[in-house]
């Protein structure tokens, strides 16, 4: 078994399931025997381990292990770097339906959906299970299915919906539905998940999705749906609950020992000993055991305010002393094409080698605070979001703002969430709402460390580039059922 695939639970939804022993963490499983779907779901242990199998999809390199983060490469914050030819077209906005990166994540999103569907079909039939555990498992399945559809919606706009009934009847060749239909299904799943999930977890269960996770994703969904009042309601459920507070320091979110904190609403649960994701490897300099992808551009680095504590946590700059475990090394501009690397995603073990216990952040309370601030500013006016913005700024060691409008929100989200796969989607969302002109960000070159052009000026085309094309391979397999997005 390759390093990439070690310790991964392979459950083919609606076809084959694997029975596991009890686990010490949500992804720590030991395969033990094979069962058909009809005979697998027998008891509480099967339910818990079946849900673990849904989480495990997040480890895949072609999903949140890496591929989903390439969709932020067009942004004005980073250069794709690396040696993947398919990423060049993504960054240059010249991709088409045959692009491999457009295809990679599609499979794993539907794998997650299919595994969740099986859980939702069979867990209600289990009689030997604690009611609270049953509800939690069903809530996790509903949330994880919603997350997969959320990513389909962001990337493709329109996509097929596969329901529990479709699984039971084997009806997988489905036409795509409208983006509003997709949003409606995500909303339904998230509302149900919020009712079923616990407020929080302790011990080995930390890292599972909670009620606050569902509320947080609802807030984001409503922002993209332009339902700003609803975004405020669900965002404030997160902020005012007292259970999902900001971590005391920014760096705590990017340190293995502390990254499963109250702020981390949703993250990929990787570990050196029982789970592996390629995410950290991609972002780390090649000289220090990484693959050198996704390098921050100087224009991002320059936007950090003086004394912003997030800069040193987020960015490797020339001359920085970096603890790579076996020694203290000095970062050199020649280690990247841009002269910088993201620092927040790289961590090393004391004896050297990358520490894969660093969690991949997918949803944080700080993100939700800034969305609430934005929604308040857009519905009430400048200054309405000051409280939320200033909580985030205070943690970064910065002074308060007063009367903040959209420019302050745009700046703060860029600094707080740099490299976390938000910038490109934010810019497109704001462009759609008429809050900025995205072409002023994209229709110009990206420059390297020596002032050389890394990427020529792009040509962002509305509405074509708001969404990526559906994979041509999927359209071909559908025999005419699945239709390509307009403009491709």
């Amino acid at each position: 078994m390759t390093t990439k695939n070690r310790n991964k639970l392979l459950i083919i939804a609606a076809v084959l399931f694997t029975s596991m022993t009890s686990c010490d963490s949500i992804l720590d499983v030991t395969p033990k025997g094979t069962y058909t779907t009809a005979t697998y779901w027998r008891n509480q242990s099967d339910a818990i381990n079946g849900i673990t199998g849904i989480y495990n999809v997040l480890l895949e390199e072609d999903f949140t292990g890496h591929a989903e983060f390439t969709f932020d490469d067009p942004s004005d914050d980073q250069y794709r770097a690396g040696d993947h030819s398919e990423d060049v077209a993504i960054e240059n906005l010249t991709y088409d339906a045959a692009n491999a990166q457009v295809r990679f994540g599609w499979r794993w999103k539907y794998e997650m959906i299919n595994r969740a569907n099986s859980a939702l079909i069979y867990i209600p039939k289990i009689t030997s299970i604690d009611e609270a555990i049953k509800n939690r498992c069903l809530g996790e399945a509903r949330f994880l299915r919603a997350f997969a559809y959320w990513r389909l919606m962001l990337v493709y706009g329109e996509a097929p919906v596969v329901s529990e009934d479709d699984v039971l009847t084997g009806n997988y060749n489905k036409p795509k539905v409208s983006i509003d239909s997709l949003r409606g299904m995500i909303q339904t799943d998230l509302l149900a998940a919020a009712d079923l999930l616990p407020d929080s977890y302790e011990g080995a269960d930390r890292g599972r999705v909670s009620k606050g996770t569902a509320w947080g994703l609802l807030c984001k969904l409503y922002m993209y749906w332009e339902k700003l009042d609803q975004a405020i309601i669900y965002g404030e459920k997160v902020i005012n609950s007292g259970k999902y507070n900001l971590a005391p320091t920014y760096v705590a979110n990017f340190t293995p020992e502390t990254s499963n904190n109250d702020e981390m609403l949703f993250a990929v649960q990787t570990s050196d000993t029982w789970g592996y994701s390629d995410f950290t490897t991609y972002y780390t300099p090649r000289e220090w055991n990484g693959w050198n992808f996704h390098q921050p551009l100087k224009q991002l680095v320059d936007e950090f305010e003086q004394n912003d504590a997030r800069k040193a946590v987020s960015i490797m700059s020339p001359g920085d002393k970096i603890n790579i475990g076996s020694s203290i090394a000095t970062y050199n501009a020649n280690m990247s094409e841009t002269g910088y690397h993201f620092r927040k995603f790289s961590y090393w073990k004391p004896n050297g080698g990358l520490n894969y216990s660093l969690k991949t952040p997918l949803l944080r309370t700080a993100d939700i605070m800034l969305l609430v601030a934005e929604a308040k500013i857009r519905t009430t006016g400048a200054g309405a979001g000051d409280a939320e913005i200033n909580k985030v700024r205070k943690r970064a060691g910065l002074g308060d703002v007063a009367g903040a409008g959209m420019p302050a929100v745009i700046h703060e989200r860029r600094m707080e969430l740099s490299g976390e796969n938000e910038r490109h989607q934010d810019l497109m969302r704001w462009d759609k709402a008429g809050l900025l002109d995205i072409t002023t960000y994209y229709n110009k070159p990206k420059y390297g460390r020596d002032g050389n052009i890394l990427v020529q000026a792009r040509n962002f085309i509305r509405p074509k580039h708001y969404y990526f094309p559906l994979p041509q391979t999927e359209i071909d397999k559908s025999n005419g059922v699945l239709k390509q997005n307009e403009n491709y």
Side-chain angles (χ1 to χ4, degrees):
M1 184 174 291
T2 64
T3 300
K4 172 183 168 185
N5 293 316
R6 75 178 189 267
N7 298 325
K8 290 186 180 175
L9 172 65
L10 299 179
I11 299 179
I12 307 304
V15 180
L16 177 68
F17 272 80
T18 303
S19 176
M20 288 73 61
T21 62
S22 63
C23 54
D24 295 324
S25 66
I26 67 169
L27 298 182
D28 188 4
V29 294
T30 304
K32 183 180 175 183
T34 57
Y35 295 84
T36 65
T37 302
T39 62
Y40 172 77
W41 303 95
R42 302 159 301 168
N43 52 44
Q44 180 168 302
S45 179
D46 291 344
I48 292 171
N49 289 323
I51 296 299
T52 296
I54 311 175
Y55 282 102
N56 263 338
V57 178
L58 297 169
L59 294 170
E60 290 294 335
E61 179 181 358
D62 285 344
F63 192 28
T64 52
H66 168 61
E68 291 298 287
F69 286 78
T70 65
F71 293 118
D72 206 34
D73 284 342
S75 82
D76 59 334
D77 277 2
Q78 65 191 41
Y79 170 58
R80 59 176 168 75
D83 55 0
H84 291 180
S85 58
E86 62 269 16
D87 296 349
V88 176
I90 296 292
E91 182 173 42
N92 290 348
L93 302 177
T94 57
Y95 50 80
D96 59 23
N99 183 281
Q101 204 61 265
V102 168
R103 180 181 76 247
F104 287 154
W106 180 276
R107 169 193 174 186
W108 293 110
K109 295 180 188 73
Y110 280 104
E111 179 69 18
M112 177 170 274
I113 290 163
N114 285 337
R115 295 185 188 192
N117 280 337
S118 289
L120 292 167
I121 290 167
Y122 292 102
I123 288 177
K125 300 177 182 180
I126 298 174
T127 56
S128 56
I129 185 172
D130 178 82
E131 192 66 18
I133 295 295
K134 176 185 281 190
N135 286 338
R136 187 194 81 187
C137 288
L138 292 173
E140 289 174 285
R142 294 293 288 261
F143 175 85
L144 292 167
R145 181 170 70 176
F147 178 75
Y149 280 121
W150 163 255
R151 290 303 306 172
L152 284 165
M153 185 205 78
L154 288 185
V155 175
Y156 305 103
E158 300 175 339
V161 168
V162 180
S163 68
E164 296 99 304
D165 287 342
D166 292 324
V167 172
L168 292 171
T169 60
N171 182 24
Y172 292 102
N173 191 17
K174 303 286 296 293
K176 65 182 184 180
V177 301
S178 71
I179 190 167
D180 275 347
S181 295
L182 208 53
R183 288 166 174 160
M185 180 173 180
I186 296 167
Q187 173 185 246
T188 298
D189 267 353
L190 291 177
L191 289 170
D195 286 340
L196 291 164
L197 289 167
D199 291 331
S200 58
Y201 301 88
E202 298 298 332
D205 283 326
R206 287 187 71 88
R208 292 183 181 277
V209 296
S210 68
K211 196 178 295 291
T213 315
W215 289 338
L217 193 53
L218 273 165
C219 175
K220 288 183 77 83
L221 171 69
Y222 289 131
M223 289 299 292
Y224 280 78
W225 209 346
E226 288 294 305
K227 296 187 176 186
L228 304 184
D229 290 341
Q230 290 297 306
I232 293 171
I233 289 171
Y234 284 94
E236 288 190 331
K237 284 179 178 288
V238 174
I239 297 168
N240 298 331
S241 69
K243 299 179 183 298
Y244 314 109
N245 299 317
L246 295 182
T249 62
Y250 187 70
V251 72
N253 292 306
F254 309 102
T255 304
E257 295 79 12
T258 56
S259 51
N260 266 345
N261 55 59
D262 292 345
E263 178 180 349
M264 196 67 73
L265 298 174
F266 189 34
V268 182
Q269 297 297 307
T270 57
S271 170
D272 253 5
T273 56
W274 42 254
Y276 173 82
S277 168
D278 288 304
F279 183 81
T280 289
T281 315
Y282 273 97
Y283 278 88
T284 301
R286 194 173 298 276
E287 292 84 349
W288 297 337
N289 306 114
W291 290 340
N292 226 33
F293 283 62
H294 311 303
Q295 300 167 6
L297 293 165
K298 186 176 186 295
Q299 61 200 52
L300 167 65
V301 178
D302 288 347
E303 187 161 333
F304 282 96
E305 296 170 58
Q306 188 175 7
N307 300 322
D308 189 334
R310 294 171 297 195
K311 181 178 181 181
V313 175
S314 301
I315 306 294
M316 294 184 197
S317 299
D320 283 353
K321 302 298 181 182
I322 309 294
N323 184 351
I324 61 172
S326 56
S327 65
I328 304 297
T330 301
Y331 184 78
N332 188 305
N334 292 326
M335 295 169 72
S336 78
E337 287 87 344
T338 68
Y340 305 93
H341 271 87
F342 283 108
R343 186 173 186 170
K344 65 203 297 188
F345 306 128
S346 299
Y347 211 85
W348 290 265
K349 292 177 284 190
N351 59 347
L354 287 171
N355 187 335
Y356 290 101
S357 295
L358 185 63
K359 308 300 181 273
T360 306
L362 299 177
L363 185 65
R364 295 196 286 114
T365 300
D367 181 0
I368 304 307
M369 281 186 174
L370 294 174
L371 289 175
V372 169
E374 176 187 336
K376 287 182 175 180
I377 290 167
R378 292 175 59 188
T379 55
T380 304
D386 285 359
E388 290 79 15
I389 294 173
N390 288 331
K391 286 179 183 178
V392 175
R393 287 178 61 83
K394 181 178 180 180
R395 199 221 351 228
L398 299 172
D400 287 353
V401 295
M406 278 305 299
V409 171
I410 291 170
H411 165 78
E412 215 59 50
R413 285 187 64 79
R414 189 181 193 188
M415 301 296 94
E416 178 70 26
L417 302 167
S418 65
E420 296 182 45
N421 203 15
E422 297 293 335
R423 179 66 171 176
H424 178 57
Q425 291 295 339
D426 272 347
L427 288 172
M428 291 195 296
R429 178 169 63 82
W430 292 326
D431 186 83
K432 293 174 194 175
L435 299 171
L436 52 73
D437 179 358
I438 196 171
T439 63
T440 64
Y441 294 79
Y442 284 21
N443 294 12
K444 58 185 179 182
K446 292 183 180 183
Y447 294 95
R449 63 174 181 264
D450 300 320
N452 57 306
I453 293 178
L454 295 174
V455 178
Q456 296 290 341
R458 281 83 50 80
N459 182 26
F460 191 96
I461 302 171
R462 304 180 185 90
K464 176 179 180 178
H465 290 137
Y466 287 150
Y467 299 105
F468 291 84
L470 275 59
Q472 189 60 46
T473 53
E474 299 300 324
I475 290 173
D476 294 342
K477 286 188 293 186
S478 77
N479 294 317
V481 173
L482 189 60
K483 303 297 183 183
Q484 184 55 271
N485 285 341
E486 294 182 7
N487 304 305
Y488 290 101

